[in-house]
């Protein structure tokens, strides 16, 4: 059903929200079909990809309506494209656990493009003047889910401890429901952004299998240490500001 209320349309948007989301869902199915032909994606991968697409449609639609946005802007559409690629990565990882090992080349390729586009949507938002809280949250959630899925893939090789990388952010959010002071605002820090970006890059390198297992494990351990330091510093700052 189309949005009928006079909600503001983001500058540069050409289609209403529901049509944008429908296009993304179609692209997700096309990508799953391509992965079936090229990488032998099986029923488990299709089920995971379809569930992911349905979840994306529901959560993004709800967030956009709460933000009173009738359509996604140019930068948000870039993030939506990233989200479709992440759906393909998710399907490959799940299929690899249920059936044959995940096809590394398409998995690494999709994840690499999704990470590269993370440097594009911010620039598009600034150049078009369409930066928004919704877009920033969408971008952050896409990043977090990609890291979670990649950590699951890498954990199969280096050990379950890698799951801490993917789960730490979600654990932090869950802890905020019990400790409200954890939901306070934090200053923008380049170091925090660099550490967050490094997680995806390191996990893609580890998933690609281009390094010996021990070297990949050491690299991921360094990334985890940096992430724990970043979260620990933020937690300490929020604790000091809790009053």
């Amino acid at each position: 059903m189309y949005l009928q209320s006079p909600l503001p349309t983001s500058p540069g948007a050409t289609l209403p929200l529901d049509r944008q989301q429908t296009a993304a869902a179609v692209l997700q199915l096309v990508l799953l079909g391509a992965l079936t032909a090229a990488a032998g994606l099986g029923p488990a991968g299709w089920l995971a990809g379809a569930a992911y697409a349905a979840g994306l449609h529901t959560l993004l639609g709800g967030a956009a309506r709460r933000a009173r946005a009738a359509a996604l802007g140019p930068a948000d559409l870039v993030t939506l494209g990233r989200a479709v690629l992440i759906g393909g990565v998710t399907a490959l990882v799940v299929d690899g656990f249920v059936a044959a090992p995940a096809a590394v080349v398409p998995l690494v390729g999709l994840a690499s493009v999704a990470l590269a586009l993370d440097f594009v949507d911010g620039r598009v938002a600034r150049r078009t003047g369409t930066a928004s809280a919704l877009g920033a949250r969408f971008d952050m959630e896409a990043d977090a889910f990609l890291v979670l899925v990649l950590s699951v893939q890498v954990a199969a090789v280096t050990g379950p401890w890698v799951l801490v990388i993917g789960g730490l952010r979600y654990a932090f959010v869950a802890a905020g429901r019990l400790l409200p002071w954890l939901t306070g605002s934090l200053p923008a820090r380049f170091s925090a952004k660099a550490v967050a970006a490094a997680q995806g890059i390191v996990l893609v390198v580890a998933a690609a299998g281009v390094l010996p297992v021990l070297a990949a494990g050491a690299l991921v351990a360094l990334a985890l240490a940096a992430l724990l330091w970043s979260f620990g510093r933020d937690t300490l700052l929020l604790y000091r500001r809790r009053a």
Side-chain angles (χ1 to χ4, degrees), residues 31-120:
L31 177 58
L32 294 177
L35 291 175
T36 301
L41 186 69
W46 268 92
L47 182 61
Y52 170 90
L56 174 63
H57 184 95
T58 301
L59 294 175
L60 179 57
R65 287 171 173 82
R66 286 191 298 272
R68 297 188 60 80
L72 301 176
D76 301 331
L77 292 177
V78 175
T79 307
L80 185 58
R82 291 179 57 222
V84 171
L85 297 177
I86 294 169
V89 176
T90 302
L92 287 170
V93 170
V94 172
D95 200 61
F97 273 88
V98 176
V104 172
V105 172
L107 188 153
V108 170
L110 292 176
S112 297
V113 175
L115 289 173
L117 288 176
D118 189 26
F119 296 95
V120 175

Side-chain angles (χ1 to χ4, degrees), residues 106-226:
L107 188 153
V108 170
L110 292 176
S112 297
V113 175
L115 289 173
L117 288 176
D118 189 26
F119 296 95
V120 175
D121 50 13
R123 291 187 176 184
V124 172
R126 289 188 293 271
R127 289 189 177 184
T128 59
T130 56
S132 67
L134 172 64
R137 180 66 182 271
F138 185 20
D139 180 65
M140 180 177 64
E141 296 297 343
D143 290 340
F145 193 78
L146 176 59
V147 169
L148 175 62
V149 173
L150 288 174
S151 69
V152 172
Q153 174 67 20
V154 176
V157 178
T158 59
W161 58 270
V162 181
L163 295 175
V164 176
I165 292 180
L168 190 57
R169 188 255 173 184
Y170 294 100
F172 190 85
V173 172
R177 296 183 178 275
L178 299 176
L179 303 171
W181 54 267
L182 284 174
T183 62
S185 60
L186 289 165
R189 288 194 177 111
F190 175 78
S191 58
K193 294 180 180 180
V195 169
Q199 305 306 310
I201 296 172
V202 167
L203 289 172
V204 166
V205 172
V210 295
L211 297 176
V213 174
L214 288 179
L219 183 63
V220 175
L222 286 175
L224 175 57

